[in-house]
Amino acid sequence: MLEADARERIMVALDCDRERALELGDLLSGRARWVKIGMTLFYAEGPAIVRAFKERGFKVFLDLKFHDIPHQVRGAARSAAFTGADLLTVHGLGAGDMLAAACEGAREAAEATGAERARVIAITVLTSMNAEALASIGVTDDIASEAQRLATLARERGVDGVVCSPQEAHAMRELLGEDALVVTPGVRPAGAAFGDQSRVATPASAIAQGASHLVIGRPITGANDPAEAFEAIVTELVQMA
């Protein structure tokens, strides 16, 4: 893998406050291409934090996991896309009309601004969940089957790809094709702590399984030298067979 491609594959998760997020942005400027802004940071700072990173030259994965009635999700996706975010998430469990509404909201924002449309990906099964957790909410299928079912539904309703664990990435790639986004949280370099993730893999393994992008937070943002930690992952991807 070329170095530029490796940098494009890594999304640095900024689950922290504004001051630390911007500090990390400065440390990773010129190295990382993507940052992920989730609920913790966005709910504290609002659209301004997305714009701050866009102004610094980053692509932004705005991970708010929309899940509501279609009318609300359409409006939420439109509003989120107006911030300049490049990628949005919606829960696959919200069913077909809601998934289609998220895509429509993103299209409406693009038409209004003339900007490139924010892409929309569907959450399949959260990487913090295991079989027991899935059963506790009444899902009797195994994780792989549930992820594939939700991915098929998302594809049918115009969604650009999925979020899944590295363990499901190969099946998602085969199911959705080469152009789909397959974004995998739960990626941990060798020796890193799992934290609250249940289904994990190393960066090289996740890419080999079919992931298009890797969401990596604490192994980079919690490192003594975040830039060095980021570069180590880039090296791992460049050197993968």
Side-chain angles (χ1 to χ4, degrees), residues 61-79:
F61 172 18
L62 184 56
D63 183 22
L64 300 182
K65 299 180 175 70
F66 307 131
H67 193 172
D68 207 324
I69 63 173
H71 174 73
Q72 288 288 351
V73 167
R74 179 179 176 179
R78 182 172 60 246
S79 296

Side-chain angles (χ1 to χ4, degrees), residues 59-131:
K59 297 178 184 179
V60 175
F61 172 18
L62 184 56
D63 183 22
L64 300 182
K65 299 180 175 70
F66 307 131
H67 193 172
D68 207 324
I69 63 173
H71 174 73
Q72 288 288 351
V73 167
R74 179 179 176 179
R78 182 172 60 246
S79 296
F82 273 129
T83 70
D86 301 277
L87 184 63
L88 309 173
T89 48
V90 58
H91 264 292
L93 285 169
D97 288 348
M98 193 197 76
L99 293 166
C103 296
E104 181 59 26
R107 280 194 295 270
E108 289 174 355
E111 290 167 1
T113 62
E116 186 175 350
R117 176 181 64 83
R119 301 183 79 180
V120 179
I121 54 177
I123 306 294
T124 55
V125 179
L126 295 171
T127 51
S128 61
M129 298 182 77
N130 54 23

Side-chain angles (χ1 to χ4, degrees), residues 211-234:
S212 61
H213 295 82
L214 313 174
V215 177
I216 306 176
R218 286 163 285 188
I220 296 172
T221 61
N224 291 331
D225 186 336
E228 182 180 28
F230 180 87
E231 292 299 331
I233 296 170
V234 170

Side-chain angles (χ1 to χ4, degrees), residues 192-207:
F194 284 9
D196 54 3
Q197 303 287 358
S198 293
R199 302 178 345 266
V200 301
T202 64
S205 175
I207 292 293

Side-chain angles (χ1 to χ4, degrees), residues 133-153:
L134 206 60
S136 74
I137 58 170
V139 178
T140 56
D141 284 341
D142 59 61
I143 288 174
S145 297
E146 175 71 358
Q148 290 184 55
R149 183 179 65 80
L150 293 173
T152 299
L153 176 63

Side-chain angles (χ1 to χ4, degrees), residues 175-204:
L175 178 67
L176 301 176
E178 287 303 311
D179 293 334
L181 293 173
V182 177
V183 178
T184 58
V187 175
R188 294 287 185 269
F194 284 9
D196 54 3
Q197 303 287 358
S198 293
R199 302 178 345 266
V200 301
T202 64

